[in-house]
């Protein structure tokens, strides 16, 4: 457990600066949106524009942890720290989960800031901008929706890892291989989820991506 | 015991290891010598499990490289592997949490011996200081097998022999085996039990250092030079 804790702390420290910049940017952009919300409150027909702004900022900020899904592994080769990582006497799942958790944590921090901003905007617009009731009440369909979102996030992060490890294994044209495997992984996931839209199918996809990443990391990729 | 049997490894068309076989017995210090690009580092990396052989087999105490053998091996590569934000103290904490055989008292002894500061940033240290930091991190473990890839690179000639002697006399545990690659043949000569000289992935010379020296009445450097000249011819 000490080993996993240390790996996780190292991962978090590795991306401390970019996480702080991302969170700072999220805070700044949301502060700007709140100013616009306050002004839009005077002109209620502009509230739709505020909604669009919120979505754009959230998507833009979540792109950063998404990109970390790739750079988290690429940087290990670039910094040559992969020499250290691959010789550690820890399960390869420890290495994978330390990276997944750090990226998920970054996404969660962005979401917390966004939700706080949405709440303040709700107060500023005297309840005109959103309906707060869906956020403050609980039912099982909402729990299911949230678990689907969490599984999707883990699925995307593990697919990013899988794609980069596949590129590192093939070696030749590794970036192209990474891109193609990401695109085909997303396509396969979309087709499977469209055919069987359940939490179970999402769960199976996530497990498959993690298992394949583990296999590549343990049996295929090396430092060359 | 580390056993390498008919190891073959190629990068593209170039064979880096060409049917290489040898055994490193427990408690021995084995020098893996050779010219640049001879395949020394590749050999150590495959033993450490960082590269995979195209053909052949490596076993460590009878087991193929896996989680158990990774715990037995301490590999010191010839590249800088620590993150840019890490101070020596961070790297020591990292090692302490990951390896059960980390020895704090040995680490503090080595800090004094190498005159290093735990608060120093690893990436900002001079090449020689970085080499000493890497040696500290490697020697503070009590791993059964120590794989040292060019450990004296960057260390000034005055300190090399002193450090080599200290490694053997003060910091290596009984029964611990060392596989060391280096160009500094004359400086490691005193510490080696066995020597392996490889050229273009092939094993040219293998044997006990003392026996080889007695048989030819030459220094190790001269013996190795002779083997190299013969291979070139």
């Amino acid at each position: 457990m000490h080993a996993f804790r240390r790996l996780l702390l190292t991962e978090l420290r590795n991306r401390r600066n970019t996480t702080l910049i991302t969170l700072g940017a999220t805070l700044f952009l949301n502060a700007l949106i709140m100013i616009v919300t306050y002004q839009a409150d005077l002109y209620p027909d502009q509230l739709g524009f505020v909604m669009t702004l919120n979505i754009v900022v959230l998507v833009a900020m979540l792109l950063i942890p998404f990109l970390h899904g790739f750079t988290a592994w690429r940087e290990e080769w670039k910094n040559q720290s992969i020499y250290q990582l691959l010789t550690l006497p820890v399960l390869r799942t420890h290495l994978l989960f330390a990276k997944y958790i750090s990226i998920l944590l970054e996404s969660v921090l962005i979401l917390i800031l966004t939700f706080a901003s949405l709440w303040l905007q709700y107060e500023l617009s005297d309840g005109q901008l959103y309906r707060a009731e869906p956020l403050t009440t609980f039912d099982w369909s909402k729990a299911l929706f949230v678990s689907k979102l969490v599984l999707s996030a883990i699925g995307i992060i593990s697919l990013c890892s899988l794609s980069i490890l596949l590129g590192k294994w093939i070696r030749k044209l590794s970036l192209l291989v990474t891109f193609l495997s990401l695109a085909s992984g997303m396509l396969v996931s979309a087709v499977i989820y469209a055919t069987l839209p359940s939490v179970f199918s999402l769960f199976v996809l996530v497990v498959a991506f993690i298992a394949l990443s583990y296999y590549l990391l343990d049996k295929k990729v090396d430092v060359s | 015991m580390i056993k390498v049997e008919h190891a073959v490894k190629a990068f593209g068309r170039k064979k880096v290891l060409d049917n290489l076989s040898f055994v490193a017995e427990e408690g021995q210090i084995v020098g893996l010598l050779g010219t640049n690009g001879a395949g020394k580092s590749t050999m150590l990396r495959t033993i450490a499990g960082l590269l995979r052989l195209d053909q052949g087999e490596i076993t460590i105490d009878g087991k193929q490289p896996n989680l158990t053998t990774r715990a037995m091996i301490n590999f010191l590569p010839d590249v800088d592997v620590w993150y840019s934000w890490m101070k020596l103290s961070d790297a020591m904490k990292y090692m302490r949490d990951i390896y059960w055989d980390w020895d704090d008292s040995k680490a503090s002894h080595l800090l004094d011996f190498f005159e290093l500061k735990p608060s120093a940033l690893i990436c900002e240290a001079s090449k020689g200081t970085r080499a000493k930091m890497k040696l500290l991190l490697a020697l503070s473990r009590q791993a059964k097998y120590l794989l040292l890839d060019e450990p004296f690179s960057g260390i000034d000639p005055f300190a090399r022999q002193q450090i080599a002697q200290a490694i053997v006399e003060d910091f290596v545990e009984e029964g611990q085996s060392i596989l060391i690659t280096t160009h500094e043949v004359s400086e490691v000569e005193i510490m080696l039990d066995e020597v392996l000289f490889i050229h273009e992935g092939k094993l040219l010379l293998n044997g006990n250092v003392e026996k080889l020296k007695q048989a030819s009445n030459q220094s190790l450097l001269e013996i190795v030079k002779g083997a190299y000249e013969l291979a070139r011819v």
Side-chain angles (χ1 to χ4, degrees):
Chain A
M1 213 54 210
H2 277 304
F4 183 71
R5 189 182 130 265
R6 177 55 55 193
L7 286 172
L8 184 59
L9 287 175
T10 306
E11 272 307 314
L12 293 173
R13 178 61 185 81
N14 276 344
R15 59 190 83 262
R16 186 189 71 180
N17 293 351
T18 43
T19 304
L20 286 176
I21 290 168
T22 309
L23 292 178
T26 310
L27 211 61
F28 176 70
L29 290 170
N30 276 293
L32 287 182
I33 293 175
M34 272 187 269
I35 294 169
V36 175
T37 309
Y38 180 70
Q39 288 180 337
D41 188 32
L42 308 172
Y43 311 99
D45 53 319
Q46 289 181 5
L47 288 176
F49 172 66
V50 175
M51 287 280 274
T52 314
L53 267 184
N54 273 308
I55 293 165
V56 168
V57 167
L58 179 62
V59 170
M61 288 301 126
L62 285 178
L63 265 178
I64 292 166
F66 171 72
L67 290 175
H68 272 159
F70 299 99
T71 54
W73 281 110
R74 275 191 76 79
E75 291 288 309
E76 301 292 358
W77 266 271
K78 206 173 149 191
N79 297 333
Q80 297 177 320
S81 43
I82 194 71
Y83 283 82
Q84 178 71 27
L85 278 189
L86 292 184
T87 52
L88 296 179
V90 295
L91 293 169
R92 301 299 197 210
T93 44
H94 282 28
L95 304 181
L96 287 169
F97 288 142
K99 291 199 186 293
Y100 295 166
I101 292 172
S102 67
I103 297 165
L104 271 178
L105 197 66
E106 196 178 343
S107 313
V108 167
L109 288 174
I110 292 171
L111 285 174
I112 288 172
L113 280 183
T114 306
F115 286 145
S117 161
L118 287 177
W119 190 260
L120 284 170
Q121 288 173 52
Y122 171 79
E123 294 292 333
L124 281 172
S125 65
D126 293 328
Q128 288 181 65
L129 196 55
Y130 311 100
R131 282 196 310 123
E133 178 269 331
L135 295 172
T136 52
T137 57
F138 175 83
D139 64 54
W140 285 107
S141 63
K142 259 183 270 178
L144 195 70
F145 177 70
V146 170
S147 57
K148 277 182 182 175
L149 280 183
V150 172
L151 276 174
S152 305
I154 300 171
I156 291 169
I157 296 167
S158 50
L159 180 60
C160 293
S161 283
L162 174 62
S163 311
I164 215 85
L165 293 174
L166 208 59
K168 286 290 170 194
W169 172 44
I170 304 285
R171 281 185 220 145
K172 282 178 187 165
L173 302 169
S174 71
L175 282 177
L176 183 66
V177 172
T178 301
F179 171 73
L180 289 177
S181 53
L182 178 76
S184 46
M186 286 205 162
L187 191 69
V188 168
S189 309
V191 169
I192 290 176
Y193 190 69
T195 318
L196 295 161
S198 69
V199 177
F200 181 71
S201 52
L202 268 179
F203 181 75
V204 170
L205 277 169
V206 168
V207 171
F209 290 149
I210 294 174
L212 280 170
S213 303
Y214 174 84
Y215 174 73
L216 287 174
L217 196 57
D218 198 42
K219 305 281 181 209
K220 295 295 175 191
V221 292
D222 57 28
V223 297
S224 59
Chain B
M1 180 173 73
I2 297 175
K3 196 172 181 183
V4 178
E5 290 176 292
H6 309 292
V8 177
K9 176 76 186 171
F11 292 124
R13 287 180 188 169
K14 192 174 188 280
K15 257 190 188 174
V16 185
L17 300 178
D18 192 356
N19 203 23
L20 197 67
S21 300
F22 67 87
V23 172
E25 299 283 352
E26 275 175 40
Q28 283 191 335
I29 301 180
V30 181
L32 195 56
L33 311 178
T35 51
N36 288 330
K40 307 182 298 288
S41 297
T42 305
M43 190 67 255
L44 285 197
R45 286 170 191 178
T46 46
I47 295 171
L50 290 171
L51 289 172
R52 289 177 176 82
L53 290 177
D54 298 331
Q55 287 171 43
E57 194 181 51
I58 292 172
T59 52
I60 297 130
D61 287 355
K63 295 177 194 120
Q64 292 196 332
N66 60 15
L67 183 62
T68 319
T69 61
R70 286 205 298 271
M72 286 193 269
I73 288 177
N74 192 357
F75 177 51
L76 184 110
D78 59 342
V79 293
D80 294 321
V81 299
W82 297 101
Y83 300 107
S84 56
W85 54 267
M86 272 191 169
K87 294 174 187 162
L88 180 58
S89 57
D90 294 321
M92 286 165 74
K93 265 188 229 162
Y94 186 94
M95 296 290 280
R96 188 184 300 129
D97 282 350
I98 302 270
Y99 294 100
W100 62 269
D101 55 9
W102 175 263
D103 187 337
D104 266 327
S105 59
K106 218 169 159 185
S108 62
H109 189 174
L110 279 157
L111 269 176
D112 293 338
F113 180 78
F114 289 136
E115 295 171 347
L116 294 169
K117 285 180 189 160
S119 58
L121 260 179
I122 297 177
C123 72
E124 283 182 1
S126 69
K127 205 178 171 193
T129 308
R130 275 207 308 274
K132 287 177 184 173
M133 287 173 168
K134 282 161 69 178
L135 268 173
L136 178 144
L137 294 166
L139 296 172
S140 298
R141 276 188 64 200
Q142 294 176 333
K144 192 172 176 186
Y145 298 105
L146 200 55
L147 311 179
L148 307 175
D149 195 3
E150 303 287 355
F152 304 115
S153 167
I155 294 180
D156 60 82
F158 309 106
R160 274 181 213 156
Q161 204 159 11
Q162 180 205 5
I163 291 170
Q165 213 157 359
I167 288 173
V168 182
E169 288 171 10
D170 300 337
F171 299 112
V172 170
E173 305 284 320
E174 208 166 307
Q176 200 170 28
S177 308
I178 302 181
L179 207 56
I180 182 168
T181 73
T182 184
H183 293 294
E184 320 301 333
V185 182
S186 50
E187 273 142 12
V188 294
E189 190 176 337
I190 49 153
M191 63 190 272
L192 298 183
D193 297 312
E194 296 280 323
V195 64
L196 299 161
F197 181 69
I198 57 175
H199 179 63
E200 293 179 348
K202 291 191 178 80
L203 190 62
L204 294 188
L205 182 76
N206 181 11
N208 181 279
V209 174
E210 282 310 310
K211 282 180 186 168
L212 286 171
K213 280 161 72 176
Q214 275 175 8
S216 62
N217 207 20
Q218 287 178 315
S219 70
L220 183 61
L221 185 61
E222 286 166 333
I223 297 169
V224 164
K225 269 184 181 171
Y228 177 63
E229 291 301 329
L230 205 66
R232 285 183 67 193
V233 172

